[in-house]
Amino acid sequence: MTEGGDRTLPDPSEWVERYGDLLYRYALARLADPDAARDVVQETLLSAVKGRTSFVGRADPRTWLVGILKHKIVDHIRRIVREAPADDDPEAAWFDSSGRWRNPFGTVTEPDRMLDSREFWRALRRCLAGLPRRQAAAFVLRELEGMDTAGLCQELGITATNAWVLLHRARLGLRRCLEKEWGRVAEEPNR
Amino acid sequence: MMTCREAARLISQELDAPLPRGRRLALRLHVGLCRACRAYRRDLRLLTDWVRSRGQDLEAAGEGSRLSEADRRRLEEALAGARE
């Protein structure tokens, strides 16, 4: 929190102006879908209005609102996962019948440049949007929301082994996708 | 020896939970001999460190996207409606 210290909750009529983009960005990084991100922001603001007497002035209003948003995001992800079909096994596309890499990864030559902040978030969002939904959901809850395996199992109603398989496939899929995204970045001279 | 397919699975799993000792040693042996799996493990660690360290940074999260004017108005209206 760089400019924290704001301990009073502004009037709800100012919320969209002051916090709308922050909440939207946070949701978009996790849901990778602009419509879904806007919907969870709306749900968040509406439940914050109803619950605003519970804001006791101990926290930064942004932290308080993001706390509500996190719950809405997890609810949304849980709904998606319940409705999503089981994934096909993508591993046959990655490994040959003797278990060797079909297309080994090259070495990333300039990791710092590839991990340039804004570019990276954009690439990550595109790649998350392209993953099967259950894999994307597991990755977001684990890596962006910091949930452990037990938390994942509870939220998604799956076993630890399922969780590890989903995360493994998500990571491999992301690595493959990011290679394309990073390749594009590397080709732009003097960016 | 362990296959790359199996190694890749463990390279991911060790980011979520400690591996049993036998698996850990077998993975170390495989990665020591396999350049492709070494590169994969390095990249996954980079990716994971990056995402974990910045995921909760409210300022940085998500590449500077903004709500559209239409979305902004819709949210304002929803909020105003909820207060009546």
Side-chain angles (χ1 to χ4, degrees):
Chain A
M1 300 285 112
T2 44
E3 45 184 18
D6 188 3
R7 308 279 145 145
T8 54
L9 191 61
D11 187 80
S13 61
E14 296 177 30
W15 289 358
V16 174
E17 192 52 44
R18 296 177 72 144
Y19 310 120
D21 287 333
L22 173 86
L23 297 171
Y24 178 69
R25 278 198 289 273
Y26 191 93
L28 187 59
R30 283 151 180 79
L31 302 177
D33 170 353
D35 293 337
R38 187 198 53 212
D39 290 347
V40 294
V41 169
Q42 177 161 335
E43 288 172 31
T44 298
L45 294 176
L46 295 181
S47 75
V49 168
K50 285 194 206 112
R52 67 188 183 281
T53 51
S54 74
F55 180 87
V56 283
R58 281 192 304 252
D60 183 325
R62 297 183 306 172
T63 314
W64 181 68
L65 287 168
V66 170
I68 300 171
L69 177 61
K70 282 164 164 285
H71 287 290
K72 302 295 179 193
I73 289 172
V74 173
D75 288 345
H76 184 86
I77 286 178
R78 208 188 290 119
R79 276 199 302 275
I80 287 177
V81 168
R82 235 191 344 247
E83 291 160 11
D87 307 330
D88 294 330
D89 180 357
E91 290 181 39
W94 297 330
F95 301 97
D96 65 23
S97 56
S98 60
R100 276 191 293 261
W101 294 99
R102 285 184 193 278
N103 302 104
F105 293 108
T107 310
V108 179
T109 45
E110 293 179 85
D112 293 346
R113 186 153 155 227
M114 300 309 143
L115 294 173
D116 167 89
S117 179
R118 187 162 287 194
E119 192 62 44
F120 183 82
W121 281 113
R122 199 168 293 140
L124 183 65
R125 173 158 68 85
R126 278 198 289 259
C127 290
L128 275 175
L131 284 184
R133 298 177 127 194
R134 295 162 58 86
Q135 291 174 29
F139 184 86
V140 166
L141 293 181
R142 172 78 185 108
E143 303 296 9
L144 288 164
E145 288 302 305
M147 235 176 236
D148 61 12
T149 306
L152 267 183
C153 294
Q154 199 182 345
E155 290 299 342
L156 304 184
I158 57 179
T159 65
T161 305
N162 288 154
W164 290 329
V165 168
L166 284 177
L167 288 168
H168 161 53
R169 291 177 181 171
R171 287 173 178 135
L172 222 164
L174 285 176
R175 175 65 187 85
R176 277 284 175 227
C177 173
L178 287 169
E179 184 160 63
K180 288 182 209 135
E181 295 283 338
W182 284 340
R184 271 177 353 103
V185 173
E187 279 162 18
E188 293 169 30
N190 305 320
R191 200 184 52 88
Chain B
M1 189 163 100
M2 177 182 281
T3 62
C4 295
R5 182 173 178 150
E6 201 178 351
R9 194 175 274 225
L10 295 177
I11 285 168
S12 170
Q13 194 179 321
E14 72 180 350
L15 299 169
D16 303 310
L19 297 180
R21 194 178 132 85
R23 303 275 76 194
R24 199 172 69 234
L25 294 176
L27 178 63
R28 187 187 299 169
L29 180 65
H30 179 98
V31 168
L33 297 169
C34 175
R35 184 195 293 266
C37 286
R38 224 164 26 242
Y40 180 58
R41 185 167 67 171
R42 192 192 86 129
D43 294 348
L44 270 204
R45 286 179 174 173
L46 269 177
L47 171 67
T48 304
D49 287 348
W50 198 96
V51 174
R52 286 183 186 171
S53 66
R54 289 169 178 77
Q56 291 296 305
D57 181 344
L58 298 186
E59 302 304 325
E63 46 142 327
S65 316
R66 292 170 55 90
L67 284 161
S68 68
E69 277 312 311
D71 285 345
R72 212 174 285 275
R73 273 198 304 279
R74 211 181 94 166
L75 290 173
E76 305 269 12
E77 282 164 20
L79 263 180
R83 299 181 72 188
E84 279 157 12

